Amino acid sequence: MDKKKRLGILTSGGDCAGLNAVISAVVEAASEKGWEVYGIHNGTDGITQKPHSYEVLTIHNFSDSPWPRLSGSYLGSLNKGVKMESLEDMSQRFAQGVKDLGLDAVIVVGGDGSMNIVSNYCKGSLVRMIGIPKTIDNDTPITEFSVGFQSAVQVCTSAVDSLELTARSHNRALIMEVMGRDAGHLAMHSALAGQADVCLVPEIPYTIDGVINKLKAIKASGRNHAVIVVSEGIKTEDGSHISSKKNMVGEAVYGGIGQYLCSEISSRYNEFQVRVTTLGHVQRSGVPVAFDRLLAALYGAKAVELLENGEDNKMVVWKNGHVDAVALSEVVKSGTTLLDPNSEYVKAAKALGMYVGEI
Ligand code: F6P
């Protein structure tokens, strides 16, 4: 890249803490090279819709503001909120928008879904793209960590701590339902960090009786309270997901499994009063923790470095303590990364006596 370049950056999918730190890192690294950065509004909409919606981001108007320290997305985002036209139409609209805005490349900060969708737009239109992984679900493939995950784990762990104290006061078993969609990473990490008694994740089958047996064992040990962490994506005993809404692409939005568990446990065992807390979107909006901000800095710098070296169609990743980049085609091929039931996390949970289901 010799002449002055213009990068577009957009955030796509559910928001999370650390997005603004990523945007800021890209602005800083690009400015160091004398490149311009256009912040694209509302995911890909700012490019595909007319009039295009964007603003020029500089270290003066963005990085030197409170935004990099805050959660949410300054640019706005869409979580499966666009009804897809055909891929061909969307690719054409995307390519036209990129041309209209004079962008040399687009940096997409998104999860596995966004990497898949936007990389397909780019493939069809020869637009240069670099992906930066983010999601509280931590299910983006190949990378060990996506921006936003650790901040969400912190919110959930603090909530487990709070629930433990009130459970203790009232001799209750308190259920906490967390997000994560079909992946149990968020539930398992926060259950381990918060020393919960039970953790139910979509990847491991469980029984209500198994949960009740754990509660009975707690009672027999002389303890009168318990905390149960449950991932929104687990199924009922008869194998259905609980969901009351659909997103714009027709997928079920999960929510309500905590209430189901509460009713089932209460109807079969009455030694503990059971209550439910559903954390909801508060998990996506915690203070960005240091590790997410560190990832943001490393990923942002790496994304700009890749483009400078003439590389594209890659996603930056964190592997074995290092930042690297992998082909987007590999990311798309790998699908979603679920929690491995044989992982050290699950092994540790079991070793500590947590009920995690029937492996
Ligand atoms: O993918 C991020 C996520 O927060 C999931 O954990 C959750 O299932 C979903 O988004 C919620 O979607 P929405 O933003 O539509 O409420």
PDB file of all heavy atoms in Angstrom, residues 8-16 18-24 38-46 57 62 72-79 106-111 114-115 118 132 134:
ATOM      1  N   GLY A   8     -12.459   1.089   5.819  1.00  0.00           N
ATOM      2  CA  GLY A   8     -13.769   1.138   6.476  1.00  0.00           C
ATOM      3  C   GLY A   8     -13.718   0.192   7.647  1.00  0.00           C
ATOM      4  O   GLY A   8     -13.050  -0.845   7.594  1.00  0.00           O
ATOM      5  N   ILE A   9     -14.387   0.548   8.734  1.00  0.00           N
ATOM      6  CA  ILE A   9     -14.498  -0.394   9.852  1.00  0.00           C
ATOM      7  C   ILE A   9     -15.964  -0.449  10.273  1.00  0.00           C
ATOM      8  O   ILE A   9     -16.642   0.586  10.332  1.00  0.00           O
ATOM      9  CB  ILE A   9     -13.566  -0.035  11.037  1.00  0.00           C
ATOM     10  CG1 ILE A   9     -13.717  -1.092  12.151  1.00  0.00           C
ATOM     11  CG2 ILE A   9     -13.815   1.372  11.583  1.00  0.00           C
ATOM     12  CD1 ILE A   9     -12.612  -1.062  13.181  1.00  0.00           C
ATOM     13  N   LEU A  10     -16.454  -1.659  10.526  1.00  0.00           N
ATOM     14  CA  LEU A  10     -17.841  -1.794  10.984  1.00  0.00           C
ATOM     15  C   LEU A  10     -17.933  -2.868  12.047  1.00  0.00           C
ATOM     16  O   LEU A  10     -17.092  -3.765  12.117  1.00  0.00           O
ATOM     17  CB  LEU A  10     -18.764  -2.114   9.802  1.00  0.00           C
ATOM     18  CG  LEU A  10     -18.546  -3.402   9.006  1.00  0.00           C
ATOM     19  CD1 LEU A  10     -19.323  -4.568   9.605  1.00  0.00           C
ATOM     20  CD2 LEU A  10     -19.010  -3.182   7.562  1.00  0.00           C
ATOM     21  N   THR A  11     -18.932  -2.729  12.916  1.00  0.00           N
ATOM     22  CA  THR A  11     -19.198  -3.754  13.931  1.00  0.00           C
ATOM     23  C   THR A  11     -20.498  -4.446  13.540  1.00  0.00           C
ATOM     24  O   THR A  11     -21.461  -3.806  13.122  1.00  0.00           O
ATOM     25  CB  THR A  11     -19.300  -3.142  15.345  1.00  0.00           C
ATOM     26  OG1 THR A  11     -20.306  -2.129  15.354  1.00  0.00           O
ATOM     27  CG2 THR A  11     -17.976  -2.541  15.778  1.00  0.00           C
ATOM     28  N   SER A  12     -20.497  -5.768  13.675  1.00  0.00           N
ATOM     29  CA  SER A  12     -21.634  -6.536  13.174  1.00  0.00           C
ATOM     30  C   SER A  12     -21.984  -7.638  14.165  1.00  0.00           C
ATOM     31  O   SER A  12     -21.103  -8.215  14.801  1.00  0.00           O
ATOM     32  CB  SER A  12     -21.218  -7.135  11.824  1.00  0.00           C
ATOM     33  OG  SER A  12     -22.189  -8.010  11.345  1.00  0.00           O
ATOM     34  N   GLY A  13     -23.285  -7.935  14.317  1.00  0.00           N
ATOM     35  CA  GLY A  13     -23.717  -8.954  15.280  1.00  0.00           C
ATOM     36  C   GLY A  13     -24.010  -8.322  16.635  1.00  0.00           C
ATOM     37  O   GLY A  13     -23.977  -7.090  16.780  1.00  0.00           O
ATOM     38  N   GLY A  14     -24.281  -9.154  17.629  1.00  0.00           N
ATOM     39  CA  GLY A  14     -24.587  -8.640  18.975  1.00  0.00           C
ATOM     40  C   GLY A  14     -23.417  -7.832  19.510  1.00  0.00           C
ATOM     41  O   GLY A  14     -22.264  -8.203  19.322  1.00  0.00           O
ATOM     42  N   ASP A  15     -23.696  -6.718  20.175  1.00  0.00           N
ATOM     43  CA  ASP A  15     -22.589  -5.906  20.688  1.00  0.00           C
ATOM     44  C   ASP A  15     -21.941  -6.594  21.889  1.00  0.00           C
ATOM     45  O   ASP A  15     -22.428  -7.624  22.379  1.00  0.00           O
ATOM     46  CB  ASP A  15     -23.057  -4.487  21.042  1.00  0.00           C
ATOM     47  CG  ASP A  15     -23.945  -4.435  22.277  1.00  0.00           C
ATOM     48  OD1 ASP A  15     -24.434  -5.499  22.718  1.00  0.00           O
ATOM     49  OD2 ASP A  15     -24.168  -3.333  22.807  1.00  0.00           O
ATOM     50  N   CYS A  16     -20.825  -6.061  22.326  1.00  0.00           N
ATOM     51  CA  CYS A  16     -20.136  -6.592  23.515  1.00  0.00           C
ATOM     52  C   CYS A  16     -19.154  -5.534  23.985  1.00  0.00           C
ATOM     53  O   CYS A  16     -18.875  -4.583  23.251  1.00  0.00           O
ATOM     54  CB  CYS A  16     -19.412  -7.897  23.186  1.00  0.00           C
ATOM     55  SG  CYS A  16     -18.139  -7.728  21.941  1.00  0.00           S
ATOM     56  N   GLY A  18     -15.722  -3.819  24.613  1.00  0.00           N
ATOM     57  CA  GLY A  18     -14.417  -3.886  23.937  1.00  0.00           C
ATOM     58  C   GLY A  18     -14.468  -3.478  22.467  1.00  0.00           C
ATOM     59  O   GLY A  18     -13.426  -3.287  21.847  1.00  0.00           O
ATOM     60  N   LEU A  19     -15.682  -3.338  21.919  1.00  0.00           N
ATOM     61  CA  LEU A  19     -15.772  -2.979  20.496  1.00  0.00           C
ATOM     62  C   LEU A  19     -15.146  -1.616  20.226  1.00  0.00           C
ATOM     63  O   LEU A  19     -14.448  -1.423  19.222  1.00  0.00           O
ATOM     64  CB  LEU A  19     -17.238  -2.946  20.043  1.00  0.00           C
ATOM     65  CG  LEU A  19     -17.966  -4.283  20.005  1.00  0.00           C
ATOM     66  CD1 LEU A  19     -19.428  -4.069  19.632  1.00  0.00           C
ATOM     67  CD2 LEU A  19     -17.291  -5.222  19.004  1.00  0.00           C
ATOM     68  N   ASN A  20     -15.405  -0.677  21.128  1.00  0.00           N
ATOM     69  CA  ASN A  20     -14.885   0.676  20.891  1.00  0.00           C
ATOM     70  C   ASN A  20     -13.366   0.725  21.044  1.00  0.00           C
ATOM     71  O   ASN A  20     -12.697   1.525  20.386  1.00  0.00           O
ATOM     72  CB  ASN A  20     -15.570   1.664  21.839  1.00  0.00           C
ATOM     73  CG  ASN A  20     -17.058   1.711  21.567  1.00  0.00           C
ATOM     74  OD1 ASN A  20     -17.468   1.800  20.402  1.00  0.00           O
ATOM     75  ND2 ASN A  20     -17.871   1.604  22.608  1.00  0.00           N
ATOM     76  N   ALA A  21     -12.840  -0.165  21.893  1.00  0.00           N
ATOM     77  CA  ALA A  21     -11.380  -0.254  22.024  1.00  0.00           C
ATOM     78  C   ALA A  21     -10.781  -0.793  20.723  1.00  0.00           C
ATOM     79  O   ALA A  21      -9.691  -0.381  20.305  1.00  0.00           O
ATOM     80  CB  ALA A  21     -11.013  -1.148  23.210  1.00  0.00           C
ATOM     81  N   VAL A  22     -11.491  -1.709  20.065  1.00  0.00           N
ATOM     82  CA  VAL A  22     -11.005  -2.228  18.770  1.00  0.00           C
ATOM     83  C   VAL A  22     -11.004  -1.105  17.735  1.00  0.00           C
ATOM     84  O   VAL A  22     -10.018  -0.898  17.018  1.00  0.00           O
ATOM     85  CB  VAL A  22     -11.898  -3.393  18.251  1.00  0.00           C
ATOM     86  CG1 VAL A  22     -11.464  -3.806  16.850  1.00  0.00           C
ATOM     87  CG2 VAL A  22     -11.862  -4.582  19.192  1.00  0.00           C
ATOM     88  N   ILE A  23     -12.139  -0.392  17.675  1.00  0.00           N
ATOM     89  CA  ILE A  23     -12.243   0.700  16.683  1.00  0.00           C
ATOM     90  C   ILE A  23     -11.088   1.687  16.907  1.00  0.00           C
ATOM     91  O   ILE A  23     -10.397   2.103  15.977  1.00  0.00           O
ATOM     92  CB  ILE A  23     -13.609   1.421  16.796  1.00  0.00           C
ATOM     93  CG1 ILE A  23     -14.759   0.444  16.523  1.00  0.00           C
ATOM     94  CG2 ILE A  23     -13.670   2.611  15.833  1.00  0.00           C
ATOM     95  CD1 ILE A  23     -16.144   0.980  16.905  1.00  0.00           C
ATOM     96  N   SER A  24     -10.869   2.015  18.182  1.00  0.00           N
ATOM     97  CA  SER A  24      -9.832   2.988  18.504  1.00  0.00           C
ATOM     98  C   SER A  24      -8.447   2.484  18.087  1.00  0.00           C
ATOM     99  O   SER A  24      -7.636   3.234  17.525  1.00  0.00           O
ATOM    100  CB  SER A  24      -9.862   3.264  20.011  1.00  0.00           C
ATOM    101  OG  SER A  24      -8.841   4.140  20.351  1.00  0.00           O
ATOM    102  N   TYR A  38     -12.913   5.278   7.801  1.00  0.00           N
ATOM    103  CA  TYR A  38     -14.340   5.594   7.790  1.00  0.00           C
ATOM    104  C   TYR A  38     -15.044   4.608   8.735  1.00  0.00           C
ATOM    105  O   TYR A  38     -14.956   3.394   8.535  1.00  0.00           O
ATOM    106  CB  TYR A  38     -14.937   5.421   6.387  1.00  0.00           C
ATOM    107  CG  TYR A  38     -14.734   6.588   5.445  1.00  0.00           C
ATOM    108  CD1 TYR A  38     -13.768   7.571   5.687  1.00  0.00           C
ATOM    109  CD2 TYR A  38     -15.528   6.709   4.304  1.00  0.00           C
ATOM    110  CE1 TYR A  38     -13.606   8.629   4.813  1.00  0.00           C
ATOM    111  CE2 TYR A  38     -15.363   7.776   3.426  1.00  0.00           C
ATOM    112  CZ  TYR A  38     -14.391   8.734   3.684  1.00  0.00           C
ATOM    113  OH  TYR A  38     -14.221   9.789   2.821  1.00  0.00           O
ATOM    114  N   GLY A  39     -15.731   5.144   9.718  1.00  0.00           N
ATOM    115  CA  GLY A  39     -16.524   4.298  10.613  1.00  0.00           C
ATOM    116  C   GLY A  39     -17.891   4.105   9.988  1.00  0.00           C
ATOM    117  O   GLY A  39     -18.625   5.071   9.767  1.00  0.00           O
ATOM    118  N   ILE A  40     -18.232   2.870   9.664  1.00  0.00           N
ATOM    119  CA  ILE A  40     -19.498   2.568   8.981  1.00  0.00           C
ATOM    120  C   ILE A  40     -20.586   2.333  10.028  1.00  0.00           C
ATOM    121  O   ILE A  40     -20.376   1.554  10.972  1.00  0.00           O
ATOM    122  CB  ILE A  40     -19.357   1.282   8.115  1.00  0.00           C
ATOM    123  CG1 ILE A  40     -18.111   1.371   7.221  1.00  0.00           C
ATOM    124  CG2 ILE A  40     -20.625   1.011   7.327  1.00  0.00           C
ATOM    125  CD1 ILE A  40     -18.110   2.477   6.206  1.00  0.00           C
ATOM    126  N   HIS A  41     -21.713   2.972   9.846  1.00  0.00           N
ATOM    127  CA  HIS A  41     -22.792   2.863  10.839  1.00  0.00           C
ATOM    128  C   HIS A  41     -23.649   1.611  10.646  1.00  0.00           C
ATOM    129  O   HIS A  41     -23.933   1.202   9.523  1.00  0.00           O
ATOM    130  CB  HIS A  41     -23.706   4.096  10.771  1.00  0.00           C
ATOM    131  CG  HIS A  41     -23.004   5.360  11.157  1.00  0.00           C
ATOM    132  ND1 HIS A  41     -23.393   6.601  10.712  1.00  0.00           N
ATOM    133  CD2 HIS A  41     -21.905   5.585  11.948  1.00  0.00           C
ATOM    134  CE1 HIS A  41     -22.596   7.533  11.217  1.00  0.00           C
ATOM    135  NE2 HIS A  41     -21.679   6.942  11.957  1.00  0.00           N
ATOM    136  N   ASN A  42     -24.092   1.047  11.775  1.00  0.00           N
ATOM    137  CA  ASN A  42     -25.083  -0.051  11.787  1.00  0.00           C
ATOM    138  C   ASN A  42     -24.711  -1.267  10.946  1.00  0.00           C
ATOM    139  O   ASN A  42     -25.451  -1.671  10.038  1.00  0.00           O
ATOM    140  CB  ASN A  42     -26.460   0.477  11.344  1.00  0.00           C
ATOM    141  CG  ASN A  42     -26.887   1.623  12.224  1.00  0.00           C
ATOM    142  OD1 ASN A  42     -26.609   1.607  13.432  1.00  0.00           O
ATOM    143  ND2 ASN A  42     -27.514   2.629  11.642  1.00  0.00           N
ATOM    144  N   GLY A  43     -23.583  -1.841  11.275  1.00  0.00           N
ATOM    145  CA  GLY A  43     -23.143  -3.049  10.578  1.00  0.00           C
ATOM    146  C   GLY A  43     -22.929  -2.774   9.096  1.00  0.00           C
ATOM    147  O   GLY A  43     -22.431  -1.704   8.725  1.00  0.00           O
ATOM    148  N   THR A  44     -23.340  -3.721   8.253  1.00  0.00           N
ATOM    149  CA  THR A  44     -23.144  -3.536   6.808  1.00  0.00           C
ATOM    150  C   THR A  44     -24.161  -2.559   6.220  1.00  0.00           C
ATOM    151  O   THR A  44     -23.991  -2.102   5.087  1.00  0.00           O
ATOM    152  CB  THR A  44     -23.272  -4.891   6.069  1.00  0.00           C
ATOM    153  OG1 THR A  44     -24.486  -5.516   6.480  1.00  0.00           O
ATOM    154  CG2 THR A  44     -22.093  -5.797   6.366  1.00  0.00           C
ATOM    155  N   ASP A  45     -25.196  -2.228   6.988  1.00  0.00           N
ATOM    156  CA  ASP A  45     -26.232  -1.318   6.474  1.00  0.00           C
ATOM    157  C   ASP A  45     -25.659   0.007   5.967  1.00  0.00           C
ATOM    158  O   ASP A  45     -26.115   0.543   4.964  1.00  0.00           O
ATOM    159  CB  ASP A  45     -27.263  -0.993   7.571  1.00  0.00           C
ATOM    160  CG  ASP A  45     -28.483  -1.895   7.468  1.00  0.00           C
ATOM    161  OD1 ASP A  45     -28.402  -2.897   6.731  1.00  0.00           O
ATOM    162  OD2 ASP A  45     -29.492  -1.600   8.137  1.00  0.00           O
ATOM    163  N   GLY A  46     -24.670   0.526   6.686  1.00  0.00           N
ATOM    164  CA  GLY A  46     -24.079   1.821   6.318  1.00  0.00           C
ATOM    165  C   GLY A  46     -23.457   1.787   4.932  1.00  0.00           C
ATOM    166  O   GLY A  46     -23.287   2.827   4.293  1.00  0.00           O
ATOM    167  N   LEU A  57     -13.317   8.814  11.183  1.00  0.00           N
ATOM    168  CA  LEU A  57     -12.833   8.682  12.560  1.00  0.00           C
ATOM    169  C   LEU A  57     -11.351   9.050  12.603  1.00  0.00           C
ATOM    170  O   LEU A  57     -10.569   8.561  11.785  1.00  0.00           O
ATOM    171  CB  LEU A  57     -12.996   7.234  13.045  1.00  0.00           C
ATOM    172  CG  LEU A  57     -14.418   6.672  13.084  1.00  0.00           C
ATOM    173  CD1 LEU A  57     -14.390   5.188  13.460  1.00  0.00           C
ATOM    174  CD2 LEU A  57     -15.281   7.443  14.078  1.00  0.00           C
ATOM    175  N   PHE A  62     -12.111  10.473  17.851  1.00  0.00           N
ATOM    176  CA  PHE A  62     -12.581   9.207  18.420  1.00  0.00           C
ATOM    177  C   PHE A  62     -11.653   8.636  19.501  1.00  0.00           C
ATOM    178  O   PHE A  62     -12.049   8.453  20.645  1.00  0.00           O
ATOM    179  CB  PHE A  62     -12.802   8.146  17.328  1.00  0.00           C
ATOM    180  CG  PHE A  62     -13.435   6.908  17.894  1.00  0.00           C
ATOM    181  CD1 PHE A  62     -14.781   6.897  18.232  1.00  0.00           C
ATOM    182  CD2 PHE A  62     -12.676   5.781  18.193  1.00  0.00           C
ATOM    183  CE1 PHE A  62     -15.361   5.779  18.835  1.00  0.00           C
ATOM    184  CE2 PHE A  62     -13.248   4.658  18.777  1.00  0.00           C
ATOM    185  CZ  PHE A  62     -14.588   4.662  19.093  1.00  0.00           C
ATOM    186  N   GLY A  72     -20.678  -1.161  24.457  1.00  0.00           N
ATOM    187  CA  GLY A  72     -21.564  -0.782  23.359  1.00  0.00           C
ATOM    188  C   GLY A  72     -20.738  -0.602  22.094  1.00  0.00           C
ATOM    189  O   GLY A  72     -19.521  -0.786  22.097  1.00  0.00           O
ATOM    190  N   SER A  73     -21.417  -0.271  21.003  1.00  0.00           N
ATOM    191  CA  SER A  73     -20.681   0.045  19.778  1.00  0.00           C
ATOM    192  C   SER A  73     -21.000   1.464  19.367  1.00  0.00           C
ATOM    193  O   SER A  73     -22.156   1.785  19.056  1.00  0.00           O
ATOM    194  CB  SER A  73     -21.055  -0.898  18.636  1.00  0.00           C
ATOM    195  OG  SER A  73     -20.465  -0.402  17.446  1.00  0.00           O
ATOM    196  N   TYR A  74     -19.979   2.298  19.336  1.00  0.00           N
ATOM    197  CA  TYR A  74     -20.140   3.680  18.900  1.00  0.00           C
ATOM    198  C   TYR A  74     -20.766   3.732  17.502  1.00  0.00           C
ATOM    199  O   TYR A  74     -21.545   4.625  17.187  1.00  0.00           O
ATOM    200  CB  TYR A  74     -18.766   4.353  18.899  1.00  0.00           C
ATOM    201  CG  TYR A  74     -18.745   5.741  18.318  1.00  0.00           C
ATOM    202  CD1 TYR A  74     -19.122   6.836  19.087  1.00  0.00           C
ATOM    203  CD2 TYR A  74     -18.350   5.948  16.990  1.00  0.00           C
ATOM    204  CE1 TYR A  74     -19.106   8.109  18.549  1.00  0.00           C
ATOM    205  CE2 TYR A  74     -18.337   7.215  16.447  1.00  0.00           C
ATOM    206  CZ  TYR A  74     -18.721   8.301  17.230  1.00  0.00           C
ATOM    207  OH  TYR A  74     -18.706   9.556  16.688  1.00  0.00           O
ATOM    208  N   LEU A  75     -20.414   2.725  16.688  1.00  0.00           N
ATOM    209  CA  LEU A  75     -20.876   2.737  15.291  1.00  0.00           C
ATOM    210  C   LEU A  75     -22.261   2.139  15.115  1.00  0.00           C
ATOM    211  O   LEU A  75     -22.864   2.269  14.063  1.00  0.00           O
ATOM    212  CB  LEU A  75     -19.877   1.964  14.403  1.00  0.00           C
ATOM    213  CG  LEU A  75     -18.498   2.584  14.294  1.00  0.00           C
ATOM    214  CD1 LEU A  75     -17.558   1.651  13.534  1.00  0.00           C
ATOM    215  CD2 LEU A  75     -18.584   3.945  13.581  1.00  0.00           C
ATOM    216  N   GLY A  76     -22.750   1.439  16.142  1.00  0.00           N
ATOM    217  CA  GLY A  76     -24.022   0.732  16.005  1.00  0.00           C
ATOM    218  C   GLY A  76     -23.767  -0.633  15.373  1.00  0.00           C
ATOM    219  O   GLY A  76     -22.737  -0.858  14.730  1.00  0.00           O
ATOM    220  N   SER A  77     -24.700  -1.553  15.597  1.00  0.00           N
ATOM    221  CA  SER A  77     -24.514  -2.904  15.078  1.00  0.00           C
ATOM    222  C   SER A  77     -25.877  -3.526  14.799  1.00  0.00           C
ATOM    223  O   SER A  77     -26.903  -3.005  15.229  1.00  0.00           O
ATOM    224  CB  SER A  77     -23.757  -3.747  16.116  1.00  0.00           C
ATOM    225  OG  SER A  77     -23.312  -4.941  15.535  1.00  0.00           O
ATOM    226  N   LEU A  78     -25.864  -4.640  14.098  1.00  0.00           N
ATOM    227  CA  LEU A  78     -27.116  -5.352  13.822  1.00  0.00           C
ATOM    228  C   LEU A  78     -26.901  -6.809  14.175  1.00  0.00           C
ATOM    229  O   LEU A  78     -25.949  -7.427  13.687  1.00  0.00           O
ATOM    230  CB  LEU A  78     -27.457  -5.277  12.331  1.00  0.00           C
ATOM    231  CG  LEU A  78     -27.859  -3.920  11.769  1.00  0.00           C
ATOM    232  CD1 LEU A  78     -27.980  -4.006  10.263  1.00  0.00           C
ATOM    233  CD2 LEU A  78     -29.194  -3.482  12.373  1.00  0.00           C
ATOM    234  N   ASN A  79     -27.769  -7.383  15.020  1.00  0.00           N
ATOM    235  CA  ASN A  79     -27.641  -8.800  15.353  1.00  0.00           C
ATOM    236  C   ASN A  79     -28.711  -9.565  14.588  1.00  0.00           C
ATOM    237  O   ASN A  79     -29.858  -9.591  15.004  1.00  0.00           O
ATOM    238  CB  ASN A  79     -27.803  -9.016  16.858  1.00  0.00           C
ATOM    239  CG  ASN A  79     -27.267 -10.367  17.303  1.00  0.00           C
ATOM    240  OD1 ASN A  79     -26.623 -11.064  16.520  1.00  0.00           O
ATOM    241  ND2 ASN A  79     -27.532 -10.729  18.538  1.00  0.00           N
ATOM    242  N   VAL A 106     -12.088  -3.286   4.061  1.00  0.00           N
ATOM    243  CA  VAL A 106     -13.059  -3.169   5.141  1.00  0.00           C
ATOM    244  C   VAL A 106     -12.633  -4.083   6.297  1.00  0.00           C
ATOM    245  O   VAL A 106     -12.317  -5.264   6.074  1.00  0.00           O
ATOM    246  CB  VAL A 106     -14.479  -3.573   4.672  1.00  0.00           C
ATOM    247  CG1 VAL A 106     -15.475  -3.462   5.819  1.00  0.00           C
ATOM    248  CG2 VAL A 106     -14.922  -2.700   3.513  1.00  0.00           C
ATOM    249  N   ILE A 107     -12.610  -3.538   7.500  1.00  0.00           N
ATOM    250  CA  ILE A 107     -12.338  -4.339   8.696  1.00  0.00           C
ATOM    251  C   ILE A 107     -13.680  -4.623   9.357  1.00  0.00           C
ATOM    252  O   ILE A 107     -14.432  -3.700   9.690  1.00  0.00           O
ATOM    253  CB  ILE A 107     -11.371  -3.612   9.657  1.00  0.00           C
ATOM    254  CG1 ILE A 107     -10.006  -3.463   8.973  1.00  0.00           C
ATOM    255  CG2 ILE A 107     -11.250  -4.363  10.988  1.00  0.00           C
ATOM    256  CD1 ILE A 107      -8.943  -2.771   9.799  1.00  0.00           C
ATOM    257  N   VAL A 108     -13.988  -5.914   9.505  1.00  0.00           N
ATOM    258  CA  VAL A 108     -15.279  -6.325  10.067  1.00  0.00           C
ATOM    259  C   VAL A 108     -15.049  -6.889  11.458  1.00  0.00           C
ATOM    260  O   VAL A 108     -14.333  -7.881  11.631  1.00  0.00           O
ATOM    261  CB  VAL A 108     -15.943  -7.393   9.176  1.00  0.00           C
ATOM    262  CG1 VAL A 108     -17.230  -7.915   9.807  1.00  0.00           C
ATOM    263  CG2 VAL A 108     -16.220  -6.823   7.789  1.00  0.00           C
ATOM    264  N   VAL A 109     -15.647  -6.232  12.455  1.00  0.00           N
ATOM    265  CA  VAL A 109     -15.525  -6.723  13.827  1.00  0.00           C
ATOM    266  C   VAL A 109     -16.809  -7.501  14.098  1.00  0.00           C
ATOM    267  O   VAL A 109     -17.885  -6.912  14.222  1.00  0.00           O
ATOM    268  CB  VAL A 109     -15.371  -5.537  14.820  1.00  0.00           C
ATOM    269  CG1 VAL A 109     -14.956  -6.041  16.200  1.00  0.00           C
ATOM    270  CG2 VAL A 109     -14.376  -4.516  14.294  1.00  0.00           C
ATOM    271  N   GLY A 110     -16.715  -8.822  14.124  1.00  0.00           N
ATOM    272  CA  GLY A 110     -17.940  -9.616  14.222  1.00  0.00           C
ATOM    273  C   GLY A 110     -17.686 -11.012  14.740  1.00  0.00           C
ATOM    274  O   GLY A 110     -16.545 -11.401  14.991  1.00  0.00           O
ATOM    275  N   GLY A 111     -18.765 -11.774  14.882  1.00  0.00           N
ATOM    276  CA  GLY A 111     -18.664 -13.162  15.316  1.00  0.00           C
ATOM    277  C   GLY A 111     -18.669 -14.105  14.117  1.00  0.00           C
ATOM    278  O   GLY A 111     -18.499 -13.658  12.970  1.00  0.00           O
ATOM    279  N   SER A 114     -21.141 -13.161  11.261  1.00  0.00           N
ATOM    280  CA  SER A 114     -20.734 -11.997  10.457  1.00  0.00           C
ATOM    281  C   SER A 114     -19.555 -12.337   9.564  1.00  0.00           C
ATOM    282  O   SER A 114     -19.478 -11.878   8.417  1.00  0.00           O
ATOM    283  CB  SER A 114     -20.348 -10.827  11.367  1.00  0.00           C
ATOM    284  OG  SER A 114     -21.412 -10.523  12.222  1.00  0.00           O
ATOM    285  N   MET A 115     -18.609 -13.130  10.078  1.00  0.00           N
ATOM    286  CA  MET A 115     -17.439 -13.511   9.256  1.00  0.00           C
ATOM    287  C   MET A 115     -17.929 -14.254   8.010  1.00  0.00           C
ATOM    288  O   MET A 115     -17.445 -14.035   6.903  1.00  0.00           O
ATOM    289  CB  MET A 115     -16.480 -14.424  10.038  1.00  0.00           C
ATOM    290  CG  MET A 115     -15.769 -13.746  11.187  1.00  0.00           C
ATOM    291  SD  MET A 115     -14.857 -12.282  10.687  1.00  0.00           S
ATOM    292  CE  MET A 115     -14.945 -11.313  12.177  1.00  0.00           C
ATOM    293  N   VAL A 118     -20.286 -11.554   5.735  1.00  0.00           N
ATOM    294  CA  VAL A 118     -19.580 -10.445   5.076  1.00  0.00           C
ATOM    295  C   VAL A 118     -18.435 -10.966   4.198  1.00  0.00           C
ATOM    296  O   VAL A 118     -18.157 -10.407   3.146  1.00  0.00           O
ATOM    297  CB  VAL A 118     -19.086  -9.394   6.100  1.00  0.00           C
ATOM    298  CG1 VAL A 118     -18.575  -8.163   5.369  1.00  0.00           C
ATOM    299  CG2 VAL A 118     -20.193  -9.003   7.065  1.00  0.00           C
ATOM    300  N   ILE A 132     -12.056  -9.203  12.609  1.00  0.00           N
ATOM    301  CA  ILE A 132     -11.607  -9.180  14.020  1.00  0.00           C
ATOM    302  C   ILE A 132     -12.712  -9.843  14.838  1.00  0.00           C
ATOM    303  O   ILE A 132     -13.858  -9.385  14.824  1.00  0.00           O
ATOM    304  CB  ILE A 132     -11.344  -7.736  14.509  1.00  0.00           C
ATOM    305  CG1 ILE A 132     -10.205  -7.109  13.704  1.00  0.00           C
ATOM    306  CG2 ILE A 132     -11.023  -7.728  16.011  1.00  0.00           C
ATOM    307  CD1 ILE A 132      -9.788  -5.710  14.162  1.00  0.00           C
ATOM    308  N   LYS A 134     -15.222 -10.987  17.689  1.00  0.00           N
ATOM    309  CA  LYS A 134     -15.819 -10.483  18.936  1.00  0.00           C
ATOM    310  C   LYS A 134     -17.103 -11.254  19.210  1.00  0.00           C
ATOM    311  O   LYS A 134     -17.824 -11.605  18.262  1.00  0.00           O
ATOM    312  CB  LYS A 134     -16.094  -8.982  18.863  1.00  0.00           C
ATOM    313  CG  LYS A 134     -17.165  -8.564  17.871  1.00  0.00           C
ATOM    314  CD  LYS A 134     -18.567  -8.651  18.393  1.00  0.00           C
ATOM    315  CE  LYS A 134     -19.486  -9.135  17.298  1.00  0.00           C
ATOM    316  NZ  LYS A 134     -20.795  -9.509  17.734  1.00  0.00           N
TER     317      LYS A 134
END
